Amino acid sequence: MDNILSARALMGISLGFHIIYATIGIGLPLMLMIAEGLSLRTGDELYHQLARRWMRPAGVLFAIGAVSGTVLSFELGLLWPRFMAFSGPLIGLPFSMEGFAFFTEAIFLALYIYGEHRLSRRMLFLCTIPLAIAAAASAVLVISSNAWMNTPTGFRLVNGALVDVHPFRALANPAWAHEAVHGTLAAYAATGFAMAGVYAAALLRGHCSDYKKRALTLALAVASMSLPLMLISGDWAAMTVAVQQKPKLAAMEALFTTTSGAPLIIGGWPDPASGKVLYGIRIPKLLSFLAYRNPDALVEGLDAFPHGTIPDPRLVHPFFDLMVASFFIMLVAAVWFWWLRWRRREVPLDKWPLRALLFASPFGLIALESGWLVTEFGRQPWIAHGHMRVAEGMTQQTGIDLILFTFVSVYLALTTVLLKLLLQPASIGDRAETIQGDRHVDS
Amino acid sequence: MWTLENLAAGAVCLGLVMYTVFGGADFGGGIWTALASGPRAPEEREGLFNAIGPVWETNHIWLIFVVVTLFTAFPRGFAALFTALLVPLVIALIGINFRGAAFAFRHFGRQTGKHIPFMASIFAVASMLTPFALGMAVTATATGKIDFVNGWVQAEAWFWIGPFTLVGGLVGLAICAYLAPIYMTVRTEGELQNDFRRQGIIAGLVLGILTTVEIPVAMVDAPLFASRLLASKGAPFVAMAVLSGATAMVLLWRCRFLWAQIAAAATVTLTITGFASAMYPDLLIGQLSLAAAAAPAATLSAFFSVLVIGIIILVPSLLFLYWTFRGEPNPELPRLWRD
Ligand code: HDD
Ligand code: HEM
Ligand code: HEM
């Protein structure tokens, strides 16, 4: 494979791998905080037990999050040294701040895990607060550097040299707000659904217990509360993209030609050769309305931008639709469950609503991964939008395909052993739950 | 002297020292897991494993700190380093991955008793790969062999393999193998403690020999580095490192374990600081100065303001952590995997 393709594939695979563990690292602390808080509030031991039990597999997942994150920070230099030489002074700051968030996370995690006999319940609960905050902060910060790649600010270029460098302005770049809010909430939605799916599966198998019902309700409550926020923040993201990153919007919506009163195209396969979308469903004027709140607004299509500066809609449009479709799948399953729960004042144990939940449970992570693919593929061919192309940011080293092969093998090996461990039959009674507690890793 | 880029270089050096003194010992644990022999080998392995389990992830963050500080404060240096040293860094990364994962897996798999021997061996071998490769990568910056063409690094595939860097890799290994058993003497008793004492003494001798050999090798293979190391800048550190290393040996010999631990950490700190002082004022010796590699002043001052705020958050949290777990390590303490 040629060097640049290998480098892009390697970066994408590494990020796609890391984000699974990072997501759990963000979502789980919030769950812990809520469970410990409820336990304190109601005096109910079960919530505390719930939280303690989640910790066991979490240790493994956190460790893989840490090593895969290390790979990423090295890859920034190994694959994209020229990009980093240019952007390091601007995006280094959020990464430095993220380092402190990691430290804080590690410290309070250690306190929470090993402090069971040394700290009061109240203290344990209080430890989960900085834990949850630090986890969310690390997402918000790393996303800032990604947002900078989409909307680079805080500097001027004079003859290729950086001048007028304002690192804090780079940190607070225009795309940061919507990406940070939408991207961090996504972790809660994804973790919540994945965990709910695990307990739905257990209940379906007929191992009914108070513990599982409580866990299912809690996980799904967190997920369901994030869902409407995902819709609102997603809409905000799309409106902001329409202003800041017009080629990305055109690729997302598979809009080849500039149109006023543009239709929303759902599904279909964008065909650049003919400039048409095959088999898509069109809803007249909806795109103009969604993007600009005006059904007759003019929306720039891919033809509005110079050749060689636009992303490939075949990579962007399907993933955008997948993200939005995942949202609706999760919505249906969640609404069904809560409806029955509200009607009966009891966790419904019927087959179909639980099956629906089980089916919906991987879609949080699917939406999250595909949302990232929209963001990343939609930025192409730029590594820093408008300033540096991906090819210009790359290393001059050759043989990247070998490195790609090496790391794909490493990831495959890690995943195989992880799955083998987490899925192996339990040797100790109630471990079954926690072990299945991690099925979502493979989904 | 107190310019922003020198302070930033100090931060990189501090990160490197912390990573070696804390993370290095974790790697050393892996090395001795592989080398352990004799009747108490299983207990030795178990002890090493238990000691590292809770801390390696925190210790590991120092490496991230080094990488992030490099690309924030020395973006051009970072780009040059990571271009030229691609291969050894990839090797180090593979080791880091396997080691971290093997650790976590082994912890998790403990209850079922499965997988452990296989995992343990991966963990051990990977532990050797990483310090060796990192040792080579760090010493490669002192060879003056990284080519620049028009101010941009031109990667020569295998320049980083030479007598000086090979010994450098071995020194990296020896540092890790030296720290782990010495730290273990403080946590063990009786026969086991004596085993670790013996291992510490052996590793100390090896480390002493290797660092001594490195000096004549450097004269041939990295002459600029050698001349700076033996001149007024480096020499005091070399002398102090020798003194501190000898002290550590005596203390070990006389079973003053707590002090031996401190002296050993000081020896390693002085060795690294000595290396850094001989590099000063360059990032790549004779080729790229700190000043030329540094980010604009606005970035450096922003970096330090973040550092200060971070420390204000971090220090009380760390103190609380140590305060909570003060006193004797309680065996009744619930372990993560055993509740
Ligand atoms: C649980 C996951 C999830 C769900 C249900 C949704 N999204 Fe999303 N979306 C993400 C997870 C995500 C993400 C992975 O977190 C992204 C990638 C980058 C980012 O900031 O968030 C993202 C990016 C992203 C972007 C690109 C932002 C940019 O590149 O600057 C847009 C326009 C939307 N989303 C829009 C939506 C809409 C209209 C949704 C409707 C219902 C929606 N998303 C649901
Ligand atoms: C975790 C979720 C993310 C996923 C799944 C993801 C995915 C991808 C993919 C698929 C590519 C290759 C795109 C292509 O070449 O067509 C890529 C490239 C890249 N991503 Fe991301 N990304 C994520 C987040 C981030 C973040 C937070 C950063 C912040 C620094 C980042 C930095 C980069 C860089 C530097 C490249 C290489 C340049 C390029 O190809 O544009 N990514 N990512
Ligand atoms: C949107 C994308 C990303 C998010 C949300 C994210 C979030 C996180 C989180 C929450 C952790 C802690 C892991 C845990 O405790 O389980 C983590 C670890 C880590 N991440 Fe990411 N990350 C993202 C992308 C990246 C990128 C692009 C890089 C580097 C270039 C990176 C570097 C790291 C590193 C080095 C660690 C390990 C820290 C440690 O040793 O504990 N991450 N990440």
Side-chain angles (χ1 to χ4, degrees):
Chain A
M1 234 199 295
D2 81 23
N3 261 333
I4 178 150
L5 208 59
S6 307
R8 291 167 62 185
L10 179 52
M11 194 72 199
I13 291 170
S14 308
L15 282 156
F17 185 80
H18 175 67
I19 194 69
I20 296 176
Y21 304 92
T23 298
I24 297 164
I26 298 160
L28 199 67
L30 182 78
M31 300 277 186
L32 292 178
M33 184 177 95
I34 295 173
E36 289 290 356
L38 282 173
S39 166
L40 263 189
R41 196 74 194 268
T42 60
D44 189 338
E45 243 329 78
L46 208 55
Y47 282 115
H48 174 69
Q49 311 264 308
L50 211 68
R52 300 303 304 182
R53 232 184 270 195
W54 287 336
M55 283 323 300
R56 210 160 19 195
V60 189
L61 300 171
F62 280 26
I64 300 198
V67 289
S68 61
T70 311
V71 174
L72 282 174
S73 58
F74 273 62
E75 275 175 1
L76 286 178
L78 295 173
L79 303 177
W80 316 104
R82 289 187 288 173
F83 166 64
M84 291 311 288
F86 159 59
S87 68
L90 295 152
I91 63 172
L93 207 59
F95 281 113
S96 311
M97 294 161 120
E98 202 196 11
F100 285 104
F102 287 152
F103 262 124
T104 315
E105 206 179 334
I107 291 170
F108 285 97
L109 197 64
L111 277 166
Y112 182 74
I113 294 174
Y114 297 96
E116 169 90 332
H117 293 180
R118 303 241 174 160
L119 295 170
S120 67
R121 275 301 162 73
R122 172 170 297 275
M123 227 30 228
L124 278 180
F125 165 64
L126 289 178
C127 282
T128 60
I129 297 176
L131 184 63
I133 294 175
S138 62
V140 167
L141 289 166
V142 76
I143 288 174
S144 156
S145 50
N146 181 270
W148 183 88
M149 293 161 64
N150 289 326
T151 55
T153 40
F155 66 100
R156 277 189 314 125
L157 276 181
V158 175
N159 298 329
L162 283 181
V163 292
D164 266 351
V165 171
H166 296 284
F168 287 104
R169 249 180 251 168
L171 178 85
N173 62 76
W176 185 33
H178 76 264
E179 279 201 57
V181 172
H182 189 64
T184 309
L185 287 172
Y188 299 136
T191 317
F193 266 97
M195 287 170 65
V198 172
Y199 292 106
L203 289 175
L204 272 174
R205 244 178 275 128
H207 312 293
C208 178
S209 70
D210 225 21
Y211 165 79
K212 282 175 199 127
K213 286 197 232 167
R214 202 82 65 88
L216 175 66
T217 312
L218 181 57
L220 197 62
V222 170
S224 309
M225 266 186 286
S226 330
L227 269 189
L229 300 175
M230 289 314 291
L231 183 66
I232 297 167
S233 62
D235 177 52
W236 173 32
M239 277 170 54
T240 322
V241 169
V243 177
Q244 295 169 349
Q245 307 174 59
K246 291 176 185 292
K248 183 184 277 181
L249 185 83
M252 254 160 56
E253 309 291 1
L255 189 67
F256 283 102
T257 40
T258 304
T259 325
S260 46
L264 186 76
I265 303 170
I266 300 173
W269 182 249
D271 178 34
S274 63
K276 292 212 170 70
V277 183
L278 312 175
Y279 318 116
I281 303 169
R282 289 158 184 276
I283 305 179
K285 302 207 178 202
L286 189 56
L287 175 57
S288 287
F289 176 75
L290 285 177
Y292 300 106
R293 294 296 183 266
N294 168 6
D296 296 312
L298 184 85
V299 184
E300 278 107 327
L302 289 167
D303 63 351
F305 310 99
H307 184 71
T309 63
I310 50 166
D312 186 342
R314 288 171 298 184
L315 292 176
V316 185
H317 178 66
F319 286 114
F320 181 68
D321 282 358
L322 182 57
M323 168 171 63
V324 178
S326 309
F327 167 81
F328 285 105
I329 292 172
M330 292 186 282
L331 189 70
V332 168
V335 167
W336 194 357
F337 177 89
W338 291 116
W339 167 253
L340 291 176
R341 164 84 220 246
W342 176 72
R343 288 265 305 270
R344 301 188 194 154
R345 298 186 165 49
E346 162 61 320
V347 173
L349 294 173
D350 321 41
K351 274 220 165 82
W352 284 103
L354 286 182
R355 280 190 186 157
L357 267 188
L358 184 60
F359 174 76
S361 65
F363 279 94
L365 274 172
I366 292 173
L368 195 140
E369 294 270 6
S370 41
W372 277 108
L373 294 177
V374 169
T375 302
E376 299 286 320
F377 287 142
R379 186 183 59 244
Q380 301 300 317
W382 303 103
I383 192 165
H385 193 264
H387 290 285
M388 185 182 254
R389 282 166 192 271
V390 172
E392 295 162 333
M394 239 197 85
T395 183
Q396 296 115 309
Q397 282 275 22
T398 49
I400 305 297
D401 46 357
L402 219 70
I403 300 177
L404 171 66
F405 175 78
T406 311
F407 278 107
V408 170
S409 314
V410 169
Y411 288 144
L412 281 179
L414 289 187
T415 311
T416 314
V417 183
L418 184 73
L419 290 180
K420 231 170 137 179
L421 264 186
L422 294 179
L423 301 180
Q424 79 191 184
S427 56
I428 296 172
D430 68 10
R431 260 185 91 228
E433 239 122 44
T434 358
I435 287 168
Q436 290 146 8
D438 288 286
R439 279 258 164 87
H440 51 269
V441 175
D442 58 331
S443 43
Chain B
M1 187 66 202
W2 296 105
T3 57
L4 283 174
E5 65 259 20
N6 286 352
L7 285 173
V12 173
C13 184
L14 176 76
L16 209 57
V17 166
M18 296 300 266
Y19 184 56
T20 317
V21 168
F22 292 107
D26 299 347
F27 282 106
I31 297 170
W32 284 108
T33 306
L35 295 184
S37 60
R40 282 175 303 279
E43 285 95 332
E44 285 168 26
R45 294 202 180 100
E46 195 64 18
L48 286 164
F49 195 77
N50 286 340
I52 303 166
V55 292
W56 74 265
E57 229 172 306
T58 315
N59 295 344
H60 176 75
I61 299 178
W62 287 111
L63 178 65
I64 314 294
F65 178 81
V66 171
V67 172
V68 169
T69 308
L70 267 179
F71 73 62
T72 308
F74 302 103
R76 289 200 38 199
F78 173 77
L81 280 172
F82 274 64
T83 305
L85 299 171
L86 178 96
V87 182
L89 290 177
V90 166
I91 296 172
L93 262 187
I94 296 170
I96 288 171
N97 258 281
F98 277 172
R99 185 195 65 131
F103 237 131
F105 291 161
R106 193 178 141 156
H107 255 310
F108 190 84
R110 197 176 241 178
Q111 283 166 314
T112 52
K114 288 185 191 165
H115 295 298
I116 290 173
F118 173 62
M119 291 296 183
S121 58
I122 288 190
F123 159 58
V125 173
S127 297
M128 298 199 198
L129 219 51
T130 304
F132 185 70
L134 285 180
M136 286 187 90
V138 171
T139 42
T141 62
T143 55
K145 288 185 194 161
I146 295 173
D147 289 331
F148 279 84
V149 176
N150 299 329
W152 194 262
V153 66
Q154 198 72 41
E156 236 239 64
W158 306 107
F159 84 91
W160 50 278
I161 299 185
F164 179 68
T165 54
L166 282 171
V167 180
L170 292 177
V171 169
L173 265 178
I175 286 179
C176 300
Y178 170 65
L179 290 175
I182 299 184
Y183 291 178
M184 287 306 291
T185 55
V186 186
R187 302 158 189 243
T188 45
E189 284 168 350
E191 294 277 285
L192 210 55
Q193 189 178 42
N194 209 29
D195 289 345
F196 283 123
R197 168 171 167 258
R198 206 189 56 239
Q199 292 172 356
I201 292 176
I202 296 171
L205 288 174
V206 173
L207 179 62
I209 294 168
L210 284 171
T211 38
T212 312
V213 169
E214 187 72 320
I215 292 177
V217 173
M219 286 173 177
V220 180
D221 204 26
L224 183 58
F225 175 77
S227 67
R228 288 201 200 164
L229 186 69
L230 300 175
S232 60
K233 266 192 303 187
F237 288 100
V238 176
M240 282 194 288
V242 171
L243 202 68
S244 153
T247 313
M249 291 302 249
V250 172
L251 290 168
L252 259 190
W253 188 254
R254 308 192 55 186
C255 296
R256 294 291 179 66
F257 295 118
L258 191 62
W259 289 104
Q261 178 184 19
I262 293 168
T267 309
V268 171
T269 304
L270 288 164
T271 308
I272 294 173
T273 324
F275 176 86
S277 66
M279 292 293 290
Y280 182 83
D282 293 334
L283 189 69
L284 298 175
I285 206 160
Q287 295 169 306
L288 185 64
S289 68
L290 290 172
T299 299
L300 295 179
S301 41
F303 172 76
F304 281 109
S305 58
V306 166
L307 207 63
V308 170
I309 295 170
I311 288 170
I312 292 175
I313 299 173
L314 212 58
V315 169
S317 314
L318 264 177
L319 288 178
F320 180 54
L321 180 75
Y322 293 136
W323 182 78
T324 305
F325 297 114
R326 71 193 182 282
E328 286 295 310
N330 180 358
E332 290 292 272
L333 208 68
R335 283 250 159 67
L336 172 52
W337 322 103
R338 214 201 280 158
D339 48 13

